[in-house]
Amino acid sequence: MMGTSDTYLIRPNHQEKFKPAVVKECIREVVRERLTGVRYDDEEVRQLSTTLADSIKDRVKKAGFDRYKLTVQVVIGEQRGQGVKMSTRCFWDADTDSYAEDVFITENLFCVVVVFGSYYY
Amino acid sequence: MHTEKKRSKEDTWKAADLKRYIAEGSHEDGRRGDRGESLEKHYKESRRERDKHREYYTGGRVDADEMYRHVERRKEGSQDRRDDRERNRIEERLMEKERRRERDTVDMNSGEHIKKTDRRRRDREETQERERDRQRQREKDKVRDKYTDEERVRRRQEREKEVRREEGDREYKHYRDRRSHESIDKGGSEYTDKYNRERRERHRERERQGEEYGISRSEKERRERHAERKQSEHKEGKDYQDDRRKDKHDRERRHKEQRHHDEKQKHHSESREHRDRKRTEEEVRHHRSDREAEGDKHTERRHKEEKDPKEHFKERTQEMDKELQQTNSSHTQKAEETKIVNEKETEQEYEDDFEEYEDDFEELDESDNEDGEKEELVEHKEELSLEKREEIKAIQRAMDEENKKVGALSRQNTTEIKEERPKWSRESETTESQTPQRGKFMDFVAAKQREVNKKVASKQKKRSAELLRLIDLDFTLTSSLLDLPPVNEYEMYIRSFGTANTKQAYVQCNEDNADRDIQTEEIELTEKWTQHPPEHSGACGGENLFLYDFDFGIYILSLFSDPNISPKTRDGPLNELNIDSKRLTTFLQSASQVLIVLLEEDEAERNSLRKLRTQTDDLSFSDGGLQLNTNLPFLQGHHISLIHFSEVQKHTMISVHTSTTKPSAVLLGNHTLICIWNIWEPSRPQKILLYESEVQCCCFSPGKATLVFAGTTVGSVVLWDLREHTSNHYQMTIGDDEWTFRHPSFSTDAVMSASGHFSTVMSVEVVPSAVARGQRSEVSLLAPKEEATGLSFQLASLDESGILNFWVVVELPKTNVAGSPTDLGLRPGGKVKLLHSSTLSVVDRMLHRAKKSAHLQMLRLKFLPTDSNHFFIGTNMGTVHHGTSHGLKALPKFYRDLEGNEKPVDINSISFSPFRQDLFLVGCGDGCIRLHSVSQEKPLIEWRDGCAGQSVVSVQWSQTRPAVFSVLDSASNIYLWDLLKNETKPVITEGMGKDRVTAMALFGDSEQRNTYSGVALAHESGKIQIQYFTSNLTVSSLSEVEKLTSLIEAI
C-alpha cells in the first residue's frame, strides 16, 4: 500500500462477476421455498421479508461474488386486485455492477426481490 | 539499542516519513528479533519446557503438554526472578530519583513483591523500566525531543510485538506446521546460527555489564544496532508487503532453523554444552535432571529478555488498553479480553490477512499463556492474596478512567487502535505493572491516532480519486421490476361476489335463424324486340313471330303456281324460328319488289295494249304508250323540269318535280320532289326524294342506279343513297298509302363552303370510268355489274360561273346512326359521302380568248364517254368548250358554228352518240342544231332551221338506232330525225298540242331479245307520258353505224 504506483483491481475477474442469472436462481429457490403456501399476514410479513432478505443475502454470498457489496430488497405485498408498479434505476458502473430480480406471485400475495451487487474497487 | 542512532535522523522527520519508517522499522525489529538470542532462547526454552512436559505427561498428550508447559516455565521463572529481584529493587530506587512517573511503577513493583504469580512478568517489566530509565537519562543528557523519542518507543513496541508474534508463530508452527522448507533454510541456517551465537555472546556481555549501567553499554548497543540497521537498510526500498512476506518466510525458516539448529548443536563445540544437553534432552525426552542446567540457561535467557525488551516496553504500559490490563490482572477477564480482541479484529476490515494471520498465533499464544497462568493459579492459590486482588481492582479502576479518556479521543480512530491492540494484548502479560504510567502519554496516543486517521483518510481519498478516473458511472435505464395491472371489474365482481367454480357465459338463442319467404309469383319471360321507327313489318319481333324461312321466295312462287299448296309445307318452316331477321327483311324487300314488278308488268302489258291502240292515233311515231301515275297528292301542282334515264338500268327514270310558286294546299309545295320510276311499274314511283330547294340537274350513279346526284340552284351538290332503309326516312301516310320521303344522304351545302359552288350548279355528271375506255361496245353490258360492286367513281359538277368541281364518291364501311361528328353534311345513318377532289376554273381559260363576252355562262357539261379527261361545256355564247381535267390541252378548244362566230346563243343541250362516241349533237337557243365531231372545231352538219326558229330544249340520240335523234323545241314540238332517211329535215314532226311538253327523254334497250325504245314526255300539267317508238324507229338495221359514218364522211 505504500508503493508510489498503486495498482487497483477495478474489474472483477470473470468467475467472480455478478451474474444476474445465478442470483436470480438463488432468489427463486429461496423465495419458492419460503413463500409457497404462505398466506399474507401483515404481522408475519414484516418479519418474513427481513429474514427472507437475510437468507437470500447469505445464499448469494455463497455464490462467490468476491468484492461485491450486496443489497437485497424484499417487497411483499398483498394481492387484492390493485395495480402495482415497481421500477428501479441505478447510478453505478454498469461494467461491474448489476442486479437481479425475481417476482413471486401467489393467489394472495406478491413478492419482489431485487439483489443489487456493487463492486468494491 | 538502535534508537540512539535513529534519533538523530528522526528529529526532522515528517509524519508520513515516520509512518513509513515505522513500517520498515517493524521489519527490522522483526528481523532483529528473530536473530535476537533472547527470542531464540525464549523459544528454545519453551521448547524445552514442552519437552519437559512431555516427559511428565507421557503418552504424547500434546495439549496437556502445552497446558503445563507454562506452569513449568513459571516455576523456573520464579526461581530466576528471585535472583533478579534484588537487582530490580536497586533499579527501582534509581528510577524513583529520576522520574516522578516512575513512582507509579515503583508502587506497582512494591506490590509486585507479594504477587508470586505474576512474578516473571513483573520482573521483565521492571527490567524494562530500568532500561527505560536509563534511556530517559540518556534523553536528558542529550536533550532529545520527547515526541520523537516516543515515536521511537512506539516503534520499539511494534518491534517487540513482532518479536512476540514470532514467538507465537514459532510455537504455533512447532506443533502445527509440518511443512518443510528446509531446503531453502539450510543455506541461511548456518549464518543465522552463527549470528545468533554472536548475539547471545553479546548479550551475555551485556548482562555482565548490566549492573554498571554504563554508557559504554549503550555505545555498544548503538554500534550493534547500527550494524543491524546496515543489514536491514538494503531492504528498505522494497515493498512493505514483500518485507512482510519475507518476514513470514523468515519466521518459518527460522522456526525450522531452530529445529535444525537443535540437531546441529548436538555436534557443536563444548561451549554450548548446556544447549547440547538440552537438545539431547529433547531427543531423548527423559532428562529431568537437566533442569538445573536449564535453570541456568533460563536465568540467562531471562536476563537477556529483560535487557532486550526493556527498551521496547519502556513506554508500553502507558498505552495499555483496558482489556489488556484486565487480562493481566485477572485470569477470568483474560478470556473476555481475547474475545474482545477477536471481535475487534473482525472489525479491522482493511487490515490485511497477514495481521490476521498473526493474530491467530497471538490467540494461541495467549491461550497458551492463559492455560499456563491457570495452572499457576492452581499452583499458587495461597499466594493470591487479598492484596493482589485489591491491586487488580485499583488497576481496573485506573484503566476504566483512562479508557474513558481514550475512548472519547479515539472513537473514530478505532481502526488504528485495533491495529495496535493485538500487540498490546500480547504484551499485556508482561507490561501489567507499568499501567500507572499511561496517563502521561495519553495525548500522544490520540495525536498518533489522529495522524494515522488522517493518513488513512488521505490514502482512501487518493485511492478514490485515482479510481474515479478509471470508472465511469452511469445511469441504468429505468427497468420495471413489477407491473401488476389492476384487476378489471368483471374479475373483481366474480372474485368478491361470485362463487367459486362459476363462470358467466353468454348464449344466443337461435335469433339469427330467421326464415325467409318469397310470395310473388314467378315472372314469365319472353324475348321480343322492336325497331324504331316501326315503318315496316320487321319493326318488332319475338321468338314466335317469324313464320318464314329462307325458302320464302319459293313459297311465294309456289303460291303463284299452286294456290292450294298444303299448309303442311308452311308449317315446316314455322318450326324453324331461328332466323336472321335483318337478312329476311332484305330478302322480303327485294322479293316484294320483284313481285310487284312482275305484277305490274303483267298488268301494264295488258293495259298497254289497250292504250297503245288509243294513243297510236295521237302520235305518229308511237307504238303505244303509257302514263306514269303522277296523279299523287304530293305531286299535284309540281312542274316537271327534267326527266332522266339511267344509262345502265334503262328502265329506271328520274323525274324532277320542281317546287311550285303558287301556294298550294298540298304538302311539300315548296320542296323539290324527285321521283324514281320504273317504267314497267308506272302505278307509283319507286322512291321519292325530297329536297328543300330547286334542283337544277341530276344524274344516276354509273352502273346500278343506287345513287342519285343532284345539283341545286343554291350551289350545293347532294346525293341520295337509294339503298337506305325506308325506316330511316320520313314517312307520311297520305290517304290509304304510306309514302317515304327521302332526304339527301349527303349534302355539300354548308360543309364545303370553301371548295363548293357559289352559284347555281348547272350540270352534274358522272366522270366515266377509265376502265371502260376503249371497250365501249362491251361497257354497256359489262360495266353495270362491275361498277355496281365497287362504288368508287368521280363526280363532276359545273356551276354557271365556270367552276368545275370534281368529287370522289366514298362509301363508308359502316353507318353511324348518331351522325358523323366530323362530316356535318352526312345524314345520320348515311353511308355515302362526297369528298372534294379538285377544282377547275373553266372561265379563266376561256376569257383570255373571248374577252369581250362579259357574261359568259356555263350551261351544260358533258364528258367524252371514251376519255374522262376530256370534258365539253356548253356556254351561252353558242360555243362548246373543250377542256381536259389534267394533262395537255386538247384541240380544238372550241366548237363553233359554221361561221365561226361567237354570238350570245345558249347551248341548251349536248348529246353524245352512244354508237359513235366522237360525235355529239348540240342544240342551241336559236333553234340551230349542230352535229360536231370531237376532232373538228366546226360542225359536220348544221341545221339552222331544224326547229323552225324555236329554241331547242333538248336534243337526244336514240338508244337503239345510231342515226336517229330526237329534238324538243320550246314550242312543244318533237322532231324525229333519221339521218339515213333524210339528212336535211326531220322525218317526223309532232306537235303536242295544248299540253306543253316541258321535258323529254329518250329511252331504249338495244338488247336483241327485247328491243324497245321510246320517249318519255313530261307535260306541263305534270303528267309523264311514255311513248314507245314504232319498230322502224326502234330496231336498227345492220351496219347502220357504218352507213352513218359514211354519210358523215360524205358530208
Side-chain angles (χ1 to χ4, degrees):
Chain A
M1 298 301 246
M2 294 304 287
T4 45
S5 58
D6 294 335
T7 52
Y8 303 113
L9 193 65
I10 63 160
R11 290 285 177 274
N13 59 38
H14 186 65
Q15 291 87 355
E16 287 170 359
K17 192 164 180 178
F18 190 89
K19 297 177 197 65
V22 175
V23 177
K24 188 169 180 138
E25 199 47 52
C26 292
I27 298 168
R28 181 163 295 180
E29 279 172 30
V30 173
V31 170
R32 197 135 300 168
E33 184 187 310
R34 297 282 293 274
L35 287 186
T36 32
V38 173
R39 279 198 73 81
Y40 184 86
D41 179 3
D42 56 351
E43 298 295 324
E44 279 176 31
V45 158
R46 220 169 285 172
Q47 186 60 34
L48 183 62
S49 56
T50 51
T51 55
L52 204 57
D54 284 338
S55 53
I56 288 164
K57 187 186 75 189
D58 293 342
R59 183 67 173 271
V60 174
K61 269 188 175 171
K62 277 181 212 160
F65 303 122
D66 243 18
R67 299 182 67 153
Y68 266 101
K69 174 88 179 170
L70 297 171
T71 310
V72 183
Q73 187 190 11
V74 177
V75 174
I76 300 176
E78 188 172 8
Q79 271 250 63
R80 305 197 65 158
Q82 81 280 26
V84 183
K85 256 187 200 291
M86 261 183 81
S87 59
T88 176
R89 196 170 198 199
C90 308
F91 180 64
W92 63 19
D93 182 3
D95 291 343
T96 57
D97 306 339
S98 184
Y99 78 94
E101 48 91 17
D102 195 32
V103 181
F104 179 79
I105 296 179
T106 63
E107 283 288 298
N108 54 73
L109 62 81
F110 64 90
C111 175
V112 185
V113 180
V114 199
V115 177
F116 299 95
S118 54
Y119 187 67
Y120 283 138
Y121 296 103
Chain B
M1 290 172 68
H2 63 277
T3 38
E4 284 90 346
K5 176 77 187 175
K6 273 179 192 168
R7 236 174 250 159
S8 57
K9 279 184 187 173
E10 282 165 2
D11 286 347
T12 50
W13 278 2
K14 282 168 190 171
D17 292 339
L18 269 175
K19 201 75 195 173
R20 192 147 41 119
Y21 194 75
I22 287 161
E24 284 164 15
S26 67
H27 294 295
E28 284 174 15
D29 286 346
R31 231 168 279 127
R32 196 177 56 230
D34 291 341
R35 283 161 206 144
E37 50 189 347
S38 65
L39 289 171
E40 219 166 65
K41 280 201 173 164
H42 175 78
Y43 174 63
K44 278 179 215 155
E45 193 185 44
S46 65
R47 280 270 303 267
R48 226 175 335 184
E49 277 171 0
R50 243 174 278 148
D51 291 344
K52 280 174 215 155
H53 283 302
R54 275 186 211 120
E55 286 168 42
Y56 288 131
Y57 307 96
T58 50
R61 278 180 60 199
V62 181
D63 291 340
D65 229 23
E66 296 287 332
M67 291 264 280
Y68 291 103
R69 189 188 56 186
H70 280 271
V71 183
E72 292 297 312
R73 200 167 52 188
R74 299 269 154 112
K75 279 177 185 169
E76 288 168 356
S78 64
Q79 288 173 0
D80 294 337
R81 273 163 208 159
R82 273 177 212 126
D83 302 333
D84 291 332
R85 192 155 298 136
E86 301 303 313
R87 201 169 43 198
N88 288 348
R89 266 177 213 147
I90 300 160
E91 285 168 2
E92 276 163 23
R93 262 156 224 155
L94 283 166
M95 281 191 284
E96 266 177 19
K97 288 172 201 167
E98 286 171 359
R99 273 181 173 269
R100 50 180 153 73
R101 187 162 54 87
E102 279 172 358
R103 249 174 278 139
D104 298 329
T105 328
V106 170
D107 291 340
M108 291 293 285
N109 286 340
S110 62
E112 209 178 0
H113 292 304
I114 315 155
K115 280 181 263 170
K116 292 298 176 186
T117 45
D118 289 329
R119 251 178 325 180
R120 188 192 75 159
R121 206 179 299 151
R122 287 204 189 154
D123 288 348
R124 219 182 289 163
E125 280 167 4
E126 276 164 5
T127 46
Q128 281 170 0
E129 230 16 271
R130 211 166 46 208
E131 190 71 20
R132 208 187 303 138
D133 289 344
R134 242 182 287 149
Q135 279 192 340
R136 289 276 148 67
Q137 193 72 43
R138 247 177 280 142
E139 277 169 20
K140 275 181 184 174
D141 293 343
K142 290 172 183 172
V143 199
R144 285 295 171 206
D145 187 51
K146 201 168 99 182
Y147 286 93
T148 46
D149 194 19
E150 273 183 2
E151 285 295 323
R152 222 178 302 126
V153 164
R154 217 175 294 142
R155 264 200 311 281
R156 243 177 272 136
Q157 284 167 356
E158 279 168 10
R159 264 175 244 141
E160 175 68 20
K161 265 180 255 165
E162 288 284 332
V163 170
R164 294 273 160 188
R165 248 175 253 155
E166 279 153 34
E167 272 178 24
D169 192 31
R170 256 171 254 138
E171 282 176 351
Y172 180 74
K173 293 255 161 139
H174 180 68
Y175 56 86
R176 263 276 211 81
D177 188 60
R178 294 299 176 210
R179 289 172 294 168
S180 64
H181 289 271
E182 286 172 338
S183 57
I184 311 161
D185 299 334
K186 266 170 189 169
S189 62
E190 194 62 48
Y191 166 76
T192 35
D193 219 35
K194 279 176 189 167
Y195 186 75
N196 285 345
R197 248 175 279 141
E198 275 174 18
R199 283 198 64 169
R200 259 175 237 132
E201 289 297 319
R202 239 178 276 148
H203 273 272
R204 267 174 222 132
E205 260 184 20
R206 235 180 283 155
E207 271 179 275
R208 267 169 251 138
Q209 290 169 350
E211 279 156 20
E212 294 173 9
Y213 301 112
I215 301 166
S216 58
R217 192 191 176 280
S218 62
E219 283 291 319
K220 207 196 286 171
E221 277 180 356
R222 209 184 303 157
R223 246 180 282 127
E224 194 181 284
R225 210 189 303 139
H226 192 63
E228 281 173 3
R229 270 198 69 168
K230 270 181 185 171
Q231 280 187 331
S232 61
E233 258 166 6
H234 71 277
K235 283 174 186 171
E236 271 182 1
K238 288 188 182 174
D239 220 26
Y240 178 60
Q241 280 188 329
D242 203 3
D243 283 1
R244 283 214 158 178
R245 210 184 337 114
K246 256 182 213 161
D247 279 347
K248 215 191 277 184
H249 201 78
D250 276 355
R251 251 176 276 138
E252 279 180 88
R253 182 171 52 101
R254 256 170 252 128
H255 185 81
K256 268 164 209 148
E257 258 175 51
Q258 258 153 9
R259 275 186 284 157
H260 191 67
H261 184 71
D262 292 347
E263 287 160 313
K264 262 188 179 174
Q265 278 181 341
K266 282 187 237 170
H267 319 289
H268 249 265
S269 61
E270 296 299 312
S271 61
R272 314 229 179 281
E273 274 178 354
H274 58 286
R275 234 173 267 163
D276 288 348
R277 232 182 292 152
K278 180 182 70 185
R279 305 299 172 208
T280 45
E281 265 177 14
E282 209 174 77
E283 283 180 10
V284 180
R285 297 187 176 188
H286 292 289
H287 269 275
R288 198 76 179 84
S289 57
D290 278 350
R291 277 198 87 175
E292 279 75 34
E294 213 187 302
D296 293 347
K297 220 201 309 164
H298 201 71
T299 43
E300 255 184 28
R301 183 185 64 90
R302 281 283 163 219
H303 213 72
K304 278 171 226 156
E305 272 186 358
E306 276 164 13
K307 274 176 189 168
D308 242 311
K310 64 188 165 190
E311 283 176 9
H312 306 314
F313 294 155
K314 187 175 65 182
E315 283 156 358
R316 169 62 59 192
T317 41
Q318 298 154 8
E319 297 159 3
M320 286 288 268
D321 250 333
K322 178 178 79 180
E323 296 98 61
L324 309 183
Q325 283 168 343
Q326 279 171 344
T327 339
N328 292 336
S329 53
S330 91
H331 304 295
T332 46
Q333 278 173 342
K334 247 185 199 169
E336 283 176 19
E337 176 258 327
T338 38
K339 267 185 210 164
I340 294 159
V341 168
N342 288 341
E343 277 175 11
K344 297 240 169 149
E345 275 171 3
T346 53
E347 286 169 21
Q348 295 170 351
E349 290 183 344
Y350 71 94
E351 219 173 297
D352 51 20
D353 46 357
F354 177 67
E355 276 174 300
E356 285 167 42
Y357 186 49
E358 282 179 332
D359 290 341
D360 288 344
F361 298 140
E362 218 180 293
E363 281 173 64
L364 278 162
D365 199 12
E366 278 163 6
S367 60
D368 286 347
N369 289 343
E370 271 178 64
D371 296 339
E373 274 168 342
K374 271 173 195 166
E375 288 302 313
E376 277 182 287
L377 235 168
V378 178
E379 271 189 44
H380 305 282
K381 229 171 188 178
E382 317 93 88
E383 289 174 358
L384 273 170
S385 62
L386 281 167
E387 275 180 11
K388 162 93 169 134
R389 284 182 184 169
E390 278 169 7
E391 192 200 342
I392 290 163
K393 277 173 191 169
I395 292 163
Q396 277 180 324
R397 249 178 277 125
M399 281 193 297
D400 284 342
E401 281 170 19
E402 187 211 315
N403 272 335
K404 276 169 198 165
K405 284 187 213 164
V406 171
L409 278 165
S410 63
R411 195 136 289 166
Q412 316 105 308
N413 307 341
T414 40
T415 47
E416 280 79 5
I417 294 165
K418 271 178 253 158
E419 267 190 319
E420 288 168 283
R421 199 166 291 149
K423 298 161 196 169
W424 299 337
S425 63
R426 237 171 284 132
E427 291 161 331
S428 58
E429 289 171 282
T430 52
T431 55
E432 196 192 58
S433 60
Q434 289 168 325
T435 40
Q437 292 179 350
R438 70 189 183 269
K440 196 176 178 184
F441 294 92
M442 273 315 298
D443 291 339
F444 303 127
V445 172
K448 181 209 163 198
Q449 281 171 347
R450 250 179 274 128
E451 208 167 277
V452 169
N453 255 1
K454 226 180 280 172
K455 194 194 78 178
V456 169
S458 70
K459 203 193 286 176
Q460 280 181 330
K461 203 172 178 184
K462 179 185 161 220
R463 179 186 168 80
S464 70
E466 281 179 24
L467 278 176
L468 272 172
R469 270 192 293 114
L470 303 171
I471 297 157
D472 25 307
L473 300 178
D474 46 7
F475 279 107
T476 56
L477 290 174
T478 304
S479 50
S480 178
L481 297 175
L482 174 66
D483 195 353
L484 208 62
V487 181
N488 62 37
E489 280 177 35
Y490 173 75
E491 272 179 52
M492 203 62 198
Y493 169 79
I494 285 297
R495 203 177 281 186
S496 44
F497 303 110
T499 50
N501 303 323
T502 55
K503 196 183 177 185
Q504 289 193 345
Y506 171 71
V507 178
Q508 193 176 19
C509 295
N510 216 19
E511 268 181 24
D512 52 351
N513 193 13
D515 242 347
R516 252 179 235 172
D517 203 2
I518 301 166
Q519 295 184 343
T520 51
E521 284 173 12
E522 194 90 13
I523 298 166
E524 289 176 1
L525 297 169
T526 49
E527 203 174 290
K528 296 201 177 186
W529 57 266
T530 179
Q531 278 187 335
H532 184 81
E535 288 157 344
H536 59 90
S537 56
C540 65
E543 287 176 5
N544 303 317
L545 278 178
F546 288 99
L547 312 173
Y548 313 110
D549 200 14
F550 305 108
D551 47 1
F552 180 65
I554 298 162
Y555 161 69
I556 300 288
L557 290 171
S558 64
L559 272 181
F560 281 70
S561 59
D562 186 8
N564 304 316
I565 190 160
S566 62
K568 186 177 68 185
T569 48
R570 285 165 71 176
D571 291 341
L574 271 175
N575 298 333
E576 298 172 28
L577 303 171
N578 190 15
I579 290 159
D580 187 346
S581 61
K582 202 143 194 177
R583 206 178 131 208
L584 182 65
T585 312
T586 44
F587 167 74
L588 285 173
Q589 266 183 344
S590 55
S592 63
Q593 209 161 7
V594 168
L595 285 173
I596 288 163
V597 168
L598 285 171
L599 288 169
E600 286 209 14
E601 276 179 354
D602 195 32
E603 191 181 356
E605 271 178 28
R606 264 180 267 135
N607 290 345
S608 65
L609 289 171
R610 225 185 312 120
K611 277 179 184 173
L612 273 171
R613 245 172 260 138
T614 53
Q615 287 199 356
T616 42
D617 307 329
D618 298 327
L619 297 168
S620 56
F621 58 88
S622 177
D623 191 25
L626 55 97
Q627 195 172 346
L628 299 179
N629 183 18
T630 57
N631 190 23
L632 299 167
F634 49 87
L635 289 177
Q636 294 294 327
H638 283 272
H639 168 71
I640 297 168
S641 60
L642 188 68
I643 296 171
H644 183 75
F645 277 88
S646 169
E647 286 178 25
V648 177
Q649 289 182 322
K650 298 185 186 293
H651 57 277
T652 304
M653 188 192 81
I654 284 176
S655 64
V656 178
H657 306 257
T658 57
S659 56
T660 52
T661 50
K662 58 185 177 184
S664 167
V666 183
L667 290 158
L668 312 167
N670 53 348
H671 285 71
T672 298
L673 293 163
I674 299 168
C675 294
I676 312 296
W677 301 88
N678 185 347
I679 54 168
W680 311 119
E681 185 194 348
S683 60
R684 54 183 290 165
Q686 280 188 318
K687 295 191 170 72
I688 300 155
L689 314 178
L690 197 63
Y691 190 66
E692 286 81 2
S693 70
E694 197 179 335
V695 172
Q696 196 68 30
C697 56
C698 65
C699 69
F700 277 108
S701 61
K704 204 176 175 188
T706 52
L707 300 174
V708 173
F709 303 98
T712 64
T713 52
V714 297
S716 60
V717 178
V718 295
L719 77 86
W720 286 266
D721 186 358
L722 303 179
R723 298 166 299 176
E724 282 175 5
H725 205 268
T726 51
S727 58
N728 292 336
H729 289 280
Y730 175 58
Q731 288 182 324
M732 189 187 283
T733 306
I734 299 163
D736 295 334
D737 295 322
E738 189 182 63
W739 301 96
T740 300
F741 299 96
R742 295 169 184 260
H743 285 279
S745 298
F746 183 81
S747 169
T748 63
D749 270 342
V751 182
M752 299 165 185
S753 53
S755 54
H757 298 285
F758 297 98
S759 54
T760 307
V761 175
M762 299 304 294
S763 188
V764 176
E765 281 291 319
V766 169
V767 179
S769 110
V771 182
R773 185 173 153 200
Q775 307 166 4
R776 184 64 198 109
S777 55
E778 279 95 77
V779 162
S780 58
L781 298 171
L782 302 172
K785 280 174 188 172
E786 282 172 357
E787 288 174 45
T789 49
L791 261 170
S792 97
F793 56 92
Q794 275 197 313
L795 184 78
S797 61
L798 176 75
D799 65 9
E800 57 183 14
S801 64
I803 301 297
L804 180 63
N805 274 327
F806 290 91
W807 311 90
V808 176
V809 179
V810 176
E811 185 175 18
L812 301 172
K814 68 177 204 175
T815 58
N816 188 354
V817 185
S820 168
T822 52
D823 198 344
L824 298 176
L826 189 66
R827 186 180 182 274
K831 260 181 110 174
V832 182
K833 59 188 263 185
L834 297 176
L835 286 177
H836 184 251
S837 162
S838 60
T839 301
L840 282 174
S841 181
V842 188
V843 178
D844 292 343
R845 295 186 185 178
M846 286 188 252
L847 278 177
H848 70 272
R849 281 288 304 271
K851 280 168 187 164
K852 38 197 170 174
S853 53
H855 302 286
L856 186 67
Q857 278 190 320
M858 305 301 146
L859 301 174
R860 288 289 177 272
L861 170 72
K862 284 291 177 185
F863 282 92
L864 186 65
T866 53
D867 191 353
S868 58
N869 194 27
H870 296 268
F871 56 87
F872 301 87
I873 294 168
T875 67
N876 60 346
M877 297 304 289
T879 58
V880 172
H881 175 73
H882 179 211
T884 52
S885 55
H886 50 83
L888 295 167
K889 286 179 180 176
L891 287 170
K893 283 181 180 175
F894 295 97
Y895 303 96
R896 295 188 183 86
D897 58 7
L898 283 171
E899 287 84 25
N901 297 325
E902 286 188 6
K903 53 189 178 186
V905 172
D906 291 349
I907 304 293
N908 287 332
S909 182
I910 300 169
S911 178
F912 278 89
S913 167
F915 299 98
R916 284 286 304 272
Q917 285 156 349
D918 55 335
L919 297 174
F920 62 95
L921 285 165
V922 175
C924 300
D926 58 349
C928 177
I929 299 162
R930 302 189 307 227
L931 177 64
H932 283 276
S933 169
V934 173
S935 56
Q936 291 173 15
E937 189 181 333
K938 302 230 169 121
L940 300 170
I941 304 165
E942 187 183 67
W943 299 280
R944 284 206 175 269
D945 298 317
C947 297
Q950 295 294 316
S951 77
V952 174
V953 174
S954 176
V955 57
Q956 281 191 333
W957 288 97
S958 165
Q959 300 291 315
T960 53
R961 284 195 62 188
V964 173
F965 63 93
S966 165
V967 179
L968 173 70
D969 65 5
S970 57
S972 304
N973 292 316
I974 294 168
Y975 308 93
L976 286 170
W977 291 75
D978 188 349
L979 295 175
L980 294 178
K981 286 181 182 172
N982 190 350
E983 55 195 61
T984 55
K985 63 177 184 179
V987 287
I988 296 165
T989 303
E990 200 76 50
M992 294 313 290
K994 51 190 186 290
D995 196 1
R996 238 164 49 86
V997 173
T998 54
M1000 177 205 74
L1002 290 178
F1003 66 92
D1005 196 344
S1006 56
E1007 281 183 68
Q1008 297 297 320
R1009 186 168 55 84
N1010 182 20
T1011 303
Y1012 66 91
S1013 69
V1015 64
L1017 300 168
H1019 292 275
E1020 201 174 21
S1021 61
K1023 286 183 220 162
I1024 298 171
Q1025 218 173 19
I1026 291 174
Q1027 297 291 337
Y1028 291 95
F1029 290 134
T1030 53
S1031 60
N1032 59 335
L1033 291 169
T1034 302
V1035 178
S1036 62
S1037 59
L1038 289 169
S1039 68
E1040 193 175 326
V1041 178
E1042 285 78 32
K1043 285 177 188 167
L1044 180 65
T1045 306
S1046 61
L1047 175 71
I1048 289 164
E1049 282 168 358
I1051 295 165

